[in-house]
Amino acid sequence: RQIALTYHSMSKAFFEIGQFQNALTAASEALTYDVSDHAMFVSRGDAYLELADFEAAVHDFRSALALNGEGQQIKGRLAKAHHCLGASFYNSGMFEAAVVELTQALQHAPETEVLYLHRGHAFMHVHAEEDAYRDFQKVAALRGEHANFGVALQAQFEPQARMAAVVGQPVRPSLSRHPIPIDRLLRKMEDIRQQCFRD
C-alpha cells in the first residue's frame, strides 16, 4: 500500500509540471500495487486524457466511478473523456460513433450545453434532423433564450468547446472538420420547426 501511495504521489507531481507520460507511468506503477483506490484510476485517467488516449481515459474513469459511484468530479471527467472521444470521431467523419459518445457524455453531465450543441451537429450529419432540432432547442433552453431560437443557436455556434463547466482541465474538444455553415443550419432548423409545429 505504501509503495502504491508513493508512486501515486510521484504521478501527481509529474502531472503538475506537465510531464504527462511520466505521470502515466507512475500511476500505472501505483495501480500494480493497489487497484482499490479510485484516486489512482483518476490520476491515470487524467494523464491519458492529456495524452489524447481518450478510450483509455474513459476506461480508467469508469473504474474510478465503480469504486466511488457518487463522485461528481469523476462523473465530470468521464463526461469530458466521452466528449473528447466523440469530437475525435466527429472530426474523422464517424458521426454515428460521435453520437454514441456524446450521448454517454450527457449521461454524466446532462446540463452541459456544448454537449447538446456538438451532438446536434453529429445528428445533422446522420440525417437525424428532428433529434438535432431537440438538441439545439436544449441549447437555447440552457441559455434561457426560448423566445428567439435562431439567435440562441447562433450565439452558441463556436468551434471551440467550452468544457470548464464540466471540470477544470485544459483539454478542450473541438469540432474542426465537416463544419455546418450556420446559415444553412438555421434554415434547416426553421424548416424542421415548421414541420413539427404545423397543424
Side-chain angles (χ1 to χ4, degrees):
R1 171 68 176 171
Q2 187 57 49
I3 295 175
L5 292 173
T6 300
Y7 276 117
H8 189 208
S9 295
M10 290 171 58
S11 176
K12 290 191 290 185
F14 281 131
F15 190 91
E16 286 297 318
I17 61 175
Q19 294 186 17
F20 303 122
Q21 186 60 56
N22 286 337
L24 173 63
T25 300
S28 295
E29 285 295 326
L31 285 165
T32 63
Y33 293 97
D34 185 359
V35 293
S36 65
D37 188 340
H38 73 276
M40 295 182 186
F41 283 106
V42 169
S43 292
R44 191 171 70 172
D46 284 344
Y48 276 130
L49 198 59
E50 292 296 336
L51 294 168
D53 190 342
F54 304 130
E55 290 188 65
V58 165
H59 182 271
D60 273 0
F61 293 144
R62 281 180 178 167
S63 297
L65 193 61
L67 292 167
N68 182 15
E70 298 304 315
Q72 289 303 313
Q73 288 189 336
I74 300 173
K75 291 179 181 179
R77 283 173 163 84
L78 190 51
K80 184 176 176 181
H82 279 296
H83 187 192
C84 290
L85 189 54
S88 176
F89 284 138
Y90 181 100
N91 293 335
S92 299
M94 300 168 64
F95 303 117
E96 291 182 355
V99 167
V100 171
E101 293 301 324
L102 292 166
T103 300
Q104 290 282 333
L106 280 163
Q107 290 179 2
H108 300 289
E111 297 302 309
T112 306
E113 61 193 62
V114 72
L115 295 176
Y116 289 101
L117 179 67
H118 284 183
R119 191 176 68 170
H121 282 284
F123 274 136
M124 288 289 289
H125 282 292
V126 297
H127 307 292
E129 286 88 358
E130 290 187 15
D131 290 322
Y133 176 74
R134 282 190 288 270
D135 274 1
F136 293 136
Q137 266 196 322
K138 184 66 174 179
V139 171
L142 289 170
R143 293 288 293 173
E145 300 180 29
H146 304 274
N148 194 332
F149 176 76
V151 170
L153 174 59
Q154 190 161 12
Q156 284 303 295
F157 186 79
E158 300 178 8
Q160 288 296 322
R162 295 171 299 168
M163 287 300 290
V166 177
V167 60
Q169 295 286 339
V171 176
R172 295 179 180 270
S174 63
L175 305 186
S176 59
R177 286 171 136 188
H178 311 286
I180 301 173
I182 189 64
D183 57 343
R184 194 188 102 194
L185 187 59
L186 289 170
R187 286 197 303 271
K188 186 68 174 175
M189 290 299 99
E190 183 58 31
D191 290 344
I192 295 167
R193 179 163 55 177
Q194 289 177 4
Q195 292 173 14
C196 289
F197 294 108
R198 67 188 176 188
D199 295 331

